[in-house]
Amino acid sequence: MIFETHILPKTLENYIESIFYFKGFMPEHSIERVVPTGHVFIIFELDGIKRHTFNNNTLKPNGTFSKVWVSGMHKNYLSISAHPNSEMLVIQFKCAGAFPFFYQPIYKLNDQVSAAQDILGIEIIELHKQILYNKTSIEKFEVVQNWLLNRINSKDIAGQDLLKIVNLLKNNPFIEHHKIIESYPKTQKHLIS
């Protein structure tokens, strides 16, 4: 199996947790349970295999995805299909890093997996084609990096108050979260938005 990560330029490292590529993944199971992490993902399928999401209780399919899709932040684990000989490229945004790239409130993506074209328009399908066209992982990473650098809206960067709260929530025990949220200088509704 090939698994590679991209070294991010300084311009992106405040927003992107990682960009990774894998090929030849051979899972021993057909369904994976993905633990929620607070991240938003853009996922590119590069092997022509349709992916499915499943109801967590019945394991019946409840969504089908191909080419590229967006997975928002989830409260519960996500059940997804796992396929032999998988090839994918994934952009994992930091917990407070997705907004400058999506141009909409991120909460609208919560607990959803959606076709990326519905959120990001036709340009994401064009990016998928460019990724497929390039053969090496270095070339694929470069295409994705250029797209991200062109897409970022630096005016939509989260304020320092918000970033501080997100960092505190991320790095402190859950028992302290109520106190941390109360320390936010604006309303709780603003924090949620």
Side-chain angles (χ1 to χ4, degrees):
M1 178 179 153
I2 296 167
F3 182 88
E4 297 178 15
T5 58
H6 180 56
I7 297 171
L8 297 165
K10 292 233 182 276
T11 313
L12 295 177
E13 62 186 17
N14 288 331
Y15 311 102
I16 310 292
E17 189 78 36
S18 67
I19 302 172
F20 59 91
Y21 166 79
F22 62 86
K23 183 176 182 176
F25 178 54
M26 297 297 286
E28 296 178 4
H29 46 275
S30 60
I31 298 176
E32 292 182 340
R33 298 228 166 156
V34 181
V35 176
T37 61
H39 296 98
V40 173
F41 298 85
I42 300 176
I43 304 161
F44 297 88
E45 154 279 291
L46 305 174
D47 50 28
I49 301 170
K50 288 186 178 180
R51 300 313 200 274
H52 304 283
T53 55
F54 299 90
N55 177 286
N56 287 336
N57 297 318
T58 65
L59 295 181
K60 290 184 179 182
N62 61 10
T64 301
F65 303 93
S66 64
K67 294 184 182 170
V68 57
W69 55 95
V70 173
S71 181
M73 292 183 278
H74 290 265
K75 290 179 191 153
N76 297 306
Y77 65 85
L78 184 63
S79 299
I80 61 170
S81 56
H83 301 274
N85 291 313
S86 292
E87 181 180 5
M88 302 179 89
L89 187 144
V90 178
I91 302 168
Q92 179 183 9
F93 293 90
K94 287 191 174 183
C95 294
F99 185 66
F101 300 90
F102 283 85
Y103 313 156
Q104 64 176 291
I106 297 304
Y107 74 85
K108 291 183 176 183
L109 307 175
N110 288 357
D111 295 312
Q112 295 181 50
V113 179
S114 307
Q117 184 177 349
D118 295 345
I119 298 165
L120 299 166
I122 194 69
E123 73 178 83
I124 199 72
I125 300 302
E126 293 302 317
L127 178 60
H128 180 263
K129 288 178 189 174
Q130 291 176 32
I131 294 168
L132 280 172
Y133 176 79
N134 287 283
K135 299 301 176 202
T136 69
S137 59
I138 293 170
E139 293 169 328
K140 293 175 189 303
F141 287 144
E142 188 174 318
V143 166
V144 171
Q145 177 179 297
N146 289 338
W147 178 78
L148 288 164
L149 289 169
N150 287 324
R151 183 149 177 99
I152 190 170
N153 183 351
S154 57
K155 293 177 185 170
D156 284 339
I157 296 170
Q160 290 304 310
D161 289 341
L162 178 60
L163 293 176
K164 179 182 173 187
I165 291 293
V166 169
N167 195 38
L168 287 170
L169 291 171
K170 204 166 98 174
N171 295 312
N172 284 283
F174 183 75
I175 197 162
E176 295 178 22
H177 283 193
H178 181 70
K179 186 173 138 185
I180 293 167
I181 290 168
E182 284 184 344
S183 74
Y184 185 61
K186 297 180 181 169
T187 66
Q188 187 174 2
K189 183 177 179 184
H190 183 270
L191 178 61
I192 292 167
S193 293

